[in-house]
Amino acid sequence: MSDLEEHRTPVSLNGLSEDDLRLQPLAKNPQTVERVIAVTFLFGTLFVAAFGASFWVNAKPWILGATMGAGLFLLGVGLVAWGKYLMPRGPFVEERHTLANSDADREAFAAAIVERGGSVVKRRKMLAGILGGGMGIFGIVALFPLLRSLGPLPKGTLFHTDWRKGSYAVDQTGRRVNVGDLAIGSIVTVFPEGTENSDRGQAVDQTVLIRISNQNFTTQKGRETWGPMGYVAYSKLCTHLGCPVGLYEQQLQLLVCPCHQSMFNVTNGAIPQFGPAPRPLPQLPLYIDSNGNIRAQADYDQPVGPGFFERHRVTGSKL
Amino acid sequence: MSDASATNKRAQREAAGPYGKIGQTLNELDDRLGIAKGGRTFMDKIFPDHWSFMLGEIALYSFVILLVTGVFLTLYFVPSVATVIYHGPYKPMDGQRVTEAWDSTMNISFTVRGGLLMRQMHHWACDIFVGAIVVHMARVFFTGAFRKPRELNWTIGLTLLILAIGNGFLGYSLPDDLVSGTGIRIAYSIMESIPFVGSYLAFWVFGGNFPGTATIPRFFILHVLILPLVILGLVGGHLFLLVRQKHTQFPGKGRTEKNVVGSPMFPVFIAKTTGFLFIVGGITALLGAFAQINPIWQFGPYDAARISYAVQPDWYMGFLDGALRIWPSWSFMGFGHTIPLEVFIPAVILPGIIFNVAYLWPLLERKFTKDNEIHHLLDRPSDRPKRTAFGVAVLVFLAMLHIASSTDVIANFFHLSLESTLWGMRILVIVTPIIAYPLAYKICKEMQSYRGGGKRKTPNIVSRTAEGEYVATPTPAYGEDVGHELDATPVPTYIEVEPDEPVESGVRTVDR
Ligand code: FES
């Protein structure tokens, strides 16, 4: 015993006694808590091992998740309980020193920057000015090409679609739509022939073709020839934010946008009847050729889709 | 023989010093890095205990999970919109033309071992990440933890929230499925709505007219490299400031502006916080296992001309979607130009105002209260009724906008017309915050006048005396010595509970 004593060295407890309450665990019965935590750890370890095994045998995803989740969760709970109930309960305290330095230090710091830098810059005003100007210009000059190289300029692309005079309306599979194809009250999404598989065709040219009746249908004054045999076509791009206006309510004759519930009346030129869309869906003028194919008289008379700054005020006239 | 080996061992022990191999290693490190003093201070660093202080930890740990699961996903995801024909285990889609992005996400979900779990964990961890940041910020706001000297950390935290939302949106877009593609379309249109520069911005960010082939690759590199790096850096800064300025604490016995009372870094805080990391990881894994999220095979690949009727953005985008729904359809047209106010105001101006007010809040409050003092003790929310009421009103406003993002669901569910639902939401969005403010204010005042409110009470034991009198005696508080009732003490060098041998008070000996 005394032999061991020699090899011990005193360590300060900051004046706390060994049995100070703050150094004791919070748990009333540390032994019991320890046992509970041991069981938690044990099961946690088992689950983690089970996770490994289920990964090995390529078990179903939910088994992987369940074993990993349960394992981590149990280990975590045990660890938190260990920290909370079996470690010294405290509370312990630490001093909070002011972050601010003494006035002298602050002054010295400020002086170092203002005086030192100031005298250098003041004496060489011209140099500093030219350098500053050069760097500033470089900043602006560098920023522009950086942005500019990211993509093309919009130019006219926002104003036109790929619909042309005489474009055949084809469905998603590329089949030309014939006058006999649609029953009254049916709807199909069409594209100008040749674009049905392109990204732009899908995103910009998409058009809904609805058969409203079996006689020529006029949606608005000046559009007397646009709806031959009851076929009317509108851009499928919602004028709010460009979602495809995919839902056709036949009884109400409404096209509904599923994104924010804008509703467009197909009988009067798709004037928005409800919701946040600000403009009617542009209408595509159609004609039926001698073979009975549905074709476009021209491109849309205004930009399709959501609004943007350069979009001119449009009153039905050609852009 | 045995004598010699005993001496040998003792010599070795003596050479190693009182703390053995570990002590030796630490000495070697200190020779080179000079870490002993700072290291000791760090081990003694005090973290105040309060349940609300772990909200930030949830955010931090879900970010760790995002990084780990994200690295896994990056190994298999192909950020390309090139067309391929799908041939995989999911039969209903067999033979369809899809993009490589969608195809590889399907591959992760159905073929890669553990892939689906990782995907779902990643998505859940993201939702938890943003949620934890929001709740953590609410805590910081309501308790006034943003006040001097912590304004900068409030700013960093708010930036982290914005980056988290942004990166969440980018990640959500990557699989190129029908639902997320619609989200990109909407983002494109929102950008386009900005006056003067909108269409140029949209063309440059997305590399051309919608959809643009650059979108997915650009989103990918932003999502997996650039934004995570920025977030990581800011998290580092956030934690550095936390350590430098030390954590705030609620007022209480022995707690002043000049101290920190709580648990020491080592071992108590380390144990709890590591346990907490495991718990967050475990819960995320369980969610990933049992709660399906973003099943892209049900949505199908993106096709600009098709749309899913279950268009629901991730929850943190809900308030924007709601604002877009209920804002009226006023567009400005004139001078040969269009300003899509129906988009620009709810989707750009509104969040701009919200985030800018949040950024400026510490300054604004300092202006109004003329309080330029340093604060380390937290407010109880009821002590600052105006601030609390304002915060509540803003949260109510955002919550209403969020609800407004499902007008169609509400209308269906309650058999209302869309029209009346829309007007109902418009009114609620404006009226509820106006009601919430005075209500919260009043409740705060009420709580102030009720001293001791919120404290746990000790039950009384009511007993009847022989004379038939009833006497109430308070039960002793648990153990009479619950931790927070004790005076705090500096962390001693040596903490060991349940000493295995009795020792003299104040001095402990250690085996050499
Ligand atoms: S995109 Fe159609 S209503 Fe918003």
Side-chain angles (χ1 to χ4, degrees):
Chain A
M1 207 54 202
S2 64
D3 183 43
L4 267 171
E5 238 13 61
E6 279 175 54
H7 305 294
R8 286 162 174 266
T9 165
V11 171
S12 151
L13 270 175
N14 289 352
L16 292 179
S17 88
E18 192 71 50
D19 50 6
D20 189 295
L21 214 43
R22 291 166 290 197
L23 297 188
Q24 306 308 312
L26 191 61
K28 265 186 184 168
N29 294 313
Q31 265 77 27
T32 320
V33 176
E34 188 181 348
R35 244 170 270 143
V36 173
I37 294 179
V39 173
T40 319
F41 279 165
L42 203 69
F43 275 99
T45 313
L46 283 179
F47 272 116
V48 170
F51 169 63
S54 44
F55 210 94
W56 185 259
V57 302
N58 197 8
K60 294 226 164 60
W62 74 265
I63 297 178
L64 299 181
T67 47
M68 173 159 88
L72 285 177
F73 185 79
L74 289 175
L75 290 179
V77 167
L79 200 47
V80 170
W82 188 354
K84 186 163 163 88
Y85 294 110
L86 293 186
M87 290 185 183
R89 70 169 70 163
F92 297 99
V93 67
E94 171 184 40
E95 261 188 56
R96 202 192 274 280
H97 308 283
T98 31
L99 289 165
N101 286 294
S102 74
D103 285 347
D105 283 338
R106 291 177 178 214
E107 220 165 277
F109 183 44
I113 288 179
V114 178
E115 306 248 330
R116 210 181 288 170
S119 61
V120 172
V121 178
K122 258 185 232 154
R123 231 177 290 152
R124 307 266 183 269
K125 257 200 184 131
M126 189 187 67
L127 286 187
I130 298 177
L131 180 65
M135 292 199 304
I137 289 173
F138 179 71
I140 296 167
V141 165
L143 189 67
F144 181 72
L146 196 71
L147 277 177
R148 180 62 189 84
S149 62
L150 287 174
L153 291 178
K155 298 237 174 71
T157 53
L158 286 170
F159 291 87
H160 302 289
T161 69
D162 298 310
W163 289 100
R164 296 277 172 279
K165 182 171 160 41
S167 297
Y168 286 95
V170 299
D171 67 9
Q172 205 140 19
T173 64
R175 216 177 56 85
R176 289 179 181 174
V177 181
N178 196 275
V179 67
D181 285 354
L182 289 195
I184 292 171
S186 12
I187 177 172
V188 64
T189 302
V190 293
F191 308 88
E193 193 174 41
T195 68
E196 67 273 10
N197 280 325
S198 72
D199 280 338
R200 182 171 157 86
Q202 304 272 337
V204 178
D205 304 330
Q206 50 173 317
T207 294
V208 284
L209 183 64
I210 306 170
R211 187 155 200 200
I212 296 184
S213 74
N214 49 18
Q215 283 145 37
N216 292 358
F217 193 90
T218 309
T219 54
Q220 274 181 5
K221 249 186 86 194
R223 298 185 180 177
E224 282 78 9
T225 64
W226 290 19
M229 300 297 284
Y231 277 93
V232 293
Y234 293 106
S235 161
K236 200 178 174 182
L237 283 179
C238 186
T239 54
H240 183 221
L241 286 165
C243 286
V245 183
L247 193 63
Y248 177 46
E249 288 273 1
Q250 200 207 322
Q251 279 100 12
L252 302 170
Q253 295 288 29
L254 289 177
L255 275 172
V256 181
C257 177
C259 281
H260 314 100
Q261 280 77 48
S262 284
M263 297 180 188
F264 305 90
N265 189 331
V266 295
T267 60
N268 68 2
I271 290 177
Q273 192 156 313
F274 178 82
R279 281 180 306 277
L281 301 170
Q283 188 179 351
L284 186 72
L286 302 176
Y287 72 94
I288 296 174
D289 70 10
S290 49
N291 295 326
N293 288 323
I294 312 277
R295 297 168 74 169
Q297 291 182 27
D299 191 6
Y300 288 102
D301 62 354
Q302 52 184 293
V304 296
F308 53 98
F309 188 66
E310 294 82 6
R311 191 184 199 285
H312 301 293
R313 177 178 204 143
V314 178
T315 47
S317 60
K318 283 259 176 212
L319 265 172
Chain B
M1 190 54 188
S2 70
D3 224 34
S5 74
T7 339
N8 215 345
K9 265 192 186 150
R10 185 197 275 182
Q12 270 177 6
R13 263 201 285 176
E14 243 152 56
Y19 297 104
K21 283 258 158 55
I22 296 180
Q24 253 180 330
T25 314
L26 289 176
N27 287 344
E28 294 291 329
L29 279 175
D30 190 54
D31 282 345
R32 290 162 179 82
L33 306 171
I35 53 163
K37 230 171 127 189
R40 166 67 202 274
T41 315
F42 194 65
M43 293 292 108
D44 287 2
K45 188 168 177 47
I46 299 293
F47 289 85
D49 299 307
H50 192 267
W51 64 267
S52 70
F53 298 163
M54 72 184 189
L55 296 167
E57 288 174 59
I58 301 184
L60 180 64
Y61 296 144
S62 43
F63 181 60
V64 171
I65 294 160
L66 281 171
L67 288 181
V68 175
T69 52
V71 166
F72 181 95
L73 296 175
T74 325
L75 298 178
Y76 305 99
F77 179 72
V78 183
S80 147
V81 286
T83 309
V84 290
I85 305 293
Y86 178 72
H87 288 300
Y90 189 70
K91 287 299 162 216
M93 277 295 176
D94 200 58
Q96 296 240 23
R97 290 158 47 92
V98 299
T99 58
E100 271 187 298
W102 194 83
D103 187 55
S104 57
T105 314
M106 287 294 279
N107 181 41
I108 291 172
S109 311
F110 285 97
T111 318
V112 174
R113 196 172 284 202
L116 181 64
L117 177 67
M118 288 295 151
R119 250 198 75 214
Q120 306 212 114
M121 279 180 73
H122 193 70
H123 202 136
W124 274 116
C126 169
D127 282 352
I128 296 174
F129 183 45
V130 183
I133 296 179
V134 171
V135 184
H136 171 62
M137 279 191 78
R139 195 281 292 170
V140 168
F141 180 85
F142 287 119
T143 59
F146 56 82
R147 291 171 301 171
K148 190 175 173 184
R150 296 185 177 74
E151 303 97 326
L152 181 60
N153 232 11
W154 167 261
T155 312
I156 294 179
L158 189 57
T159 312
L160 279 170
L161 172 65
I162 295 171
L163 291 174
I165 291 178
N167 215 23
F169 174 77
L170 293 176
Y172 178 82
S173 305
L174 286 180
D176 201 32
D177 57 280
L178 192 52
V179 173
S180 73
T182 308
I184 302 181
R185 169 77 244 197
I186 290 176
Y188 189 98
S189 308
I190 290 174
M191 204 165 277
E192 226 182 342
S193 79
I194 300 171
F196 300 101
V197 293
S199 41
Y200 294 89
L201 262 186
F203 266 65
W204 291 343
V205 169
F206 293 83
N209 204 341
F210 186 81
T213 46
T215 311
I216 298 282
R218 279 186 191 169
F219 277 23
F220 178 71
I221 206 66
L222 280 170
H223 178 76
V224 304
L225 180 71
I226 299 171
L227 287 192
L229 269 187
V230 179
I231 291 177
L232 206 59
L234 287 177
V235 166
H238 203 67
L239 294 180
F240 171 77
L241 284 182
L242 163 80
V243 169
R244 176 102 180 114
Q245 299 176 328
K246 298 204 169 97
H247 206 287
T248 51
Q249 58 189 352
F250 281 103
K253 188 174 183 194
R255 301 184 193 164
T256 68
E257 293 281 6
K258 293 209 160 11
N259 68 10
V260 195
V261 175
S263 315
M265 172 69 117
F266 187 78
V268 184
F269 183 74
I270 285 278
K272 285 193 202 165
T273 200
T274 312
F276 216 62
L277 166 64
F278 288 172
I279 291 177
V280 175
I283 290 177
T284 315
L286 290 173
L287 281 169
F290 295 111
Q292 187 181 63
I293 192 161
N294 206 15
I296 58 154
W297 52 94
Q298 288 175 14
F299 309 148
Y302 181 57
D303 172 343
R306 285 202 309 127
I307 188 155
S308 154
Y309 290 97
V311 218
Q312 284 294 341
D314 259 6
W315 75 268
Y316 43 84
M317 287 289 173
F319 78 102
L320 269 188
D321 197 53
L324 280 166
R325 275 183 197 220
I326 63 173
W327 190 262
S329 59
W330 302 324
S331 193
F332 172 83
M333 276 183 266
F335 310 107
H337 286 291
T338 301
I339 301 180
L341 298 177
E342 79 281 1
V343 176
F344 184 60
I345 293 180
V348 181
I349 297 285
L350 175 83
I353 292 176
I354 294 174
F355 283 116
N356 274 306
V357 169
Y359 269 121
L360 293 177
W361 184 264
L363 296 182
L364 291 176
E365 190 175 305
R366 225 164 59 194
K367 267 253 159 63
F368 282 122
T369 58
K370 307 221 167 28
D371 174 3
N372 202 21
E373 293 299 306
I374 294 224
H375 295 279
H376 298 300
L377 284 179
L378 294 172
D379 291 328
R380 288 216 284 169
S382 58
D383 293 340
R384 295 274 177 271
K386 280 188 191 154
R387 180 207 292 148
T388 303
F390 180 79
V392 169
V394 171
L395 287 182
V396 167
F397 174 69
L398 289 175
M400 284 299 146
L401 284 181
H402 189 93
I403 294 174
S405 73
S406 25
T407 38
D408 49 337
V409 181
I410 297 171
N412 266 335
F413 190 79
F414 294 105
H415 300 287
L416 296 168
S417 75
L418 263 177
E419 178 110 34
S420 46
T421 318
L422 177 72
W423 278 102
M425 282 323 300
R426 280 177 178 166
I427 293 168
L428 281 178
V429 162
I430 295 170
V431 169
T432 48
I434 296 178
I435 297 176
Y437 186 95
L439 198 69
Y441 187 86
K442 196 95 197 109
I443 293 175
C444 288
K445 284 288 184 192
E446 211 52 46
M447 282 169 77
Q448 280 175 11
S449 61
Y450 177 58
R451 290 177 66 210
K455 279 220 185 90
R456 187 179 296 169
K457 285 165 214 66
T458 49
N460 288 339
I461 299 172
V462 181
S463 48
R464 190 167 175 254
T465 61
E467 288 81 41
E469 235 182 308
Y470 287 93
V471 185
T473 16
T475 49
Y478 165 56
E480 289 272 40
D481 47 34
V482 184
H484 65 265
E485 297 290 349
L486 292 170
D487 284 321
T489 171
V491 187
T493 312
Y494 194 94
I495 306 180
E496 187 187 316
V497 290
E498 304 165 78
D500 17 52
E501 48 193 291
V503 279
E504 280 169 58
S505 176
V507 174
R508 169 98 174 117
T509 51
V510 183
D511 246 0
R512 186 177 272 178

